[in-house]
Amino acid sequence: MLIYWDIYEIRSHGIALHGVKLRGRIRKFTIENEVACLMENASDEENVVRFAVQTNSSPNLIIDFVKSLVPEVEVAESLKNIPNPVLSKIKVNDLSRYDI
């Protein structure tokens, strides 16, 4: 059975998001709060961290936590209802790009 995910992007224009253990803090927070979450630094955009929560799950707990760490960030939904997502490069999630 596939699990479907909604992808969100965390951005900041003035504060570094890579190399500051942001992903590790989010991971620990979600584990302690029993929230299923995937996350990765974007490799196709500068200073962007992406996370995914299962479709029909609220991202608000994670968003509030991230904003408590870095109040200046912007968090926006990027893609909805994606099976087996790749977070580092958004274009990989477009299945029409591939033949089997």
Side-chain angles (χ1 to χ4, degrees):
M1 174 170 74
L2 287 174
I3 300 171
Y4 289 81
W5 302 82
D6 295 339
I7 301 172
Y8 295 82
E9 295 182 343
I10 305 168
R11 298 173 181 275
S12 175
H13 301 290
I15 305 289
L17 300 178
H18 296 180
V20 295
K21 298 185 179 181
L22 180 62
R23 289 178 302 151
R25 291 185 209 167
I26 296 169
R27 181 173 180 268
K28 183 173 182 176
F29 176 80
T30 57
I31 290 169
E32 288 179 353
N33 287 276
E34 299 183 355
V35 175
C37 179
L38 305 173
M39 72 210 66
E40 192 61 64
N41 287 335
S43 64
D44 56 351
E45 291 192 56
E46 289 292 319
N47 206 37
V48 173
V49 175
R50 294 191 180 107
F51 72 90
V53 294
Q54 292 179 351
T55 297
N56 298 323
S57 295
S58 172
N60 292 337
L61 190 66
I62 298 167
I63 293 170
D64 291 345
F65 175 70
V66 170
K67 287 187 174 188
S68 77
L69 296 174
V70 189
E72 300 84 5
V73 297
E74 299 169 6
V75 181
E77 187 176 69
S78 177
L79 295 172
K80 288 188 72 65
N81 210 30
I82 305 298
N84 299 341
V86 174
L87 302 181
S88 61
K89 289 187 179 182
I90 286 295
K91 69 182 183 181
V92 175
N93 294 293
D94 179 3
L95 294 180
S96 68
R97 299 180 70 224
Y98 306 100
D99 296 322
I100 322 185

